Amino acid sequence: MATISKLSNPTPVTCSIKPSPCKINNPKCFVHVNNPLNLNLSFSACLSLRNRPAVEPSFLVRCLHADGKGAPSKTRTSLHDLYEFQGQSPWYDNLCRPVTDLLPLIDSGVRGVTSNPAIFQKAISSSNAYNEQFRELVQAGKDIESAYWELVVRDIQDACKLFEQIYDQTDGGDGYVSVEVSPRLADDTEGTVEAAKLLHRLVDRPNVYIKIPATAPCIPSIKKVISLGISVNVTLIFSLARYEAVIDAYLDGLEASGFGDLSRVTSVASFFVSRVDTIVDKMLEKIGTPEALDLRGKAAVAQAALAYKLYQKKFSGPRWEALVKKGAKKQRLLWASTSVKNPAYPDTLYVAPLIGPETVSTMPDQALQAFIDHGAVSRTIDTNTSEAEGIYSALEKLGIDWGYVGFQLELEGVESFKKSFDSLLDSLQEKANSLKLVSL
C-alpha cells in the first residue's frame, strides 16, 4: 500500500438552513452561512430539497468552495448534524484495505473508527490486499501471530493519519481509531496491561484508542493503562453495574497518574446495545405473557438511557471537578452493537433513540447508511428517562435478571472475539503453508 500522506483540507464554510412556514408545493428556505474566518466571500450554493415521508422534512445542502471557482465541496448529511447540533460523534464500525475507502465516509461526517478481532478476521481472510505484506513478513521470519499484528498495526496507523485532522481540530476530542488487545487476554490482568503498552508503542499515533474488554480481571488493567497516559476504549460493557466499575477505573487511573496535565488522556466506554435485546427478547418470549411480549425490543434502549443518566451523575461533583482543574476530559459513552438483529425492528432502532451530547455512536455499514438515508436528528437519549426506568423495573418484576444478562453477553462476546481471532490465525497459517513459506 502506498504511504498515506497528510491530508490538507481548507477550512470549510458551512451552511445551515431553516424551512420557512410554507406549503410543501412551494418550499422555501433561508440559508445561514457560517464563515469562521470572516472572509470576504462571493460564492454560490446549490440547494436540493427532498421530502422524506415518515420523518421530519429534511434538506440537503451542497455548498461550493469559498474560492468561488465552482468546485463542489463535501455533501452535508445527517451525520454532520448529529455532531454539530446534538454533540454526538458518529463513528464507523469497520476497517479494511484500502484504508483510503474511509475518505468518502469522512466527507459524509464520520469522525472516528472502531475495529475488533471479528472485523479484522473478515477483512484479512476475504481480501488479497494483505498478501504482499504478509508474504514479506513471513519471509522475514515472523511467526503467524506477529505477522497478524503487523498487518493490523499498519491499518490502524493509516486510518489514524486520515483522522488526524479531526483530532487536531478538536484538540484531541475526536478523530480516534480503536484497536483491541488480543481477546485471549480477557482474563489476564497483567497480560492486558503489557499488551496495551506494546500496541500503543507500535502504533505510535496520538489518536489511537487501545481497546480493553470490561471483564472483571481487566478492570484493574484499565486503571493501570489510563494511569500510564494511554487512551483507552473500554469494550464489551453490557450492564449498568459493570459500566459504573469502568467509570471508576477511569477516574482512579487519572488520579493515580500523577500528571499535572490530564488533557491528553481520554477514553470512551463502549456500551453494547442490540445484543441486549437479542437475549432479553428470547427470555420474554419464553415467559409468553402479553405484558412480557409487549416489552420485546425495549430492554436495550431503556438500559442505555439509564447508562447515560449514570454518566451524568458520575462525571459531576467534587471528585470530578478536581480532575477537571487538571484538564481531565469525560469518558464519553459510546453506543456499540448498533446494527439491528431482528428484521422486524426499525433499522435505526439503536441509533435514533440514543442521540445526546458527549456521546459516540459507532455504526456498521447497514446502520450508518440507514441513518444517513432517513434518520431523524434530535436529542432523544434523556427525553423520557422515567419511561426507561419503568421498563427496566418491569423487566425485573417479570424475572429478568440484569446481572445474568450482562454476564452471559460478556461471556458470549469474549468467546466470539476469541473464535474470530483463532480462526484468522488458522487462515493465515494455511495461507503461509500454501505459499510454502512457513510451517507450524
Side-chain angles (χ1 to χ4, degrees), residues 305-357:
L306 298 185
Y308 188 73
K309 180 181 179 181
L310 179 60
Y311 162 83
Q312 292 175 310
K313 176 184 176 182
K314 297 289 286 188
F315 288 99
S316 63
R319 183 186 187 189
W320 175 243
E321 291 303 322
L323 289 168
V324 170
K325 291 178 180 178
K326 295 183 178 181
K329 295 176 179 175
K330 295 178 180 178
Q331 181 190 55
R332 290 188 295 172
L333 256 173
L334 180 152
W335 309 122
S337 183
T338 54
S339 61
V340 174
K341 307 295 191 292
N342 187 334
Y345 294 160
D347 53 7
T348 61
L349 176 61
Y350 303 114
V351 180
L354 302 178
I355 298 174

Side-chain angles (χ1 to χ4, degrees), residues 181-197 211-222 224-225 410 414 418:
V181 298
S182 170
R184 293 173 174 173
L185 300 172
D187 295 322
D188 186 343
T189 303
E190 291 302 320
T192 294
V193 172
E194 293 305 313
K197 289 163 60 177
K211 290 182 77 172
I212 297 176
T215 57
C218 285
I219 294 297
S221 309
I222 297 163
K224 179 62 176 179
V225 172
E410 179 185 297
V414 170
K418 283 182 180 178

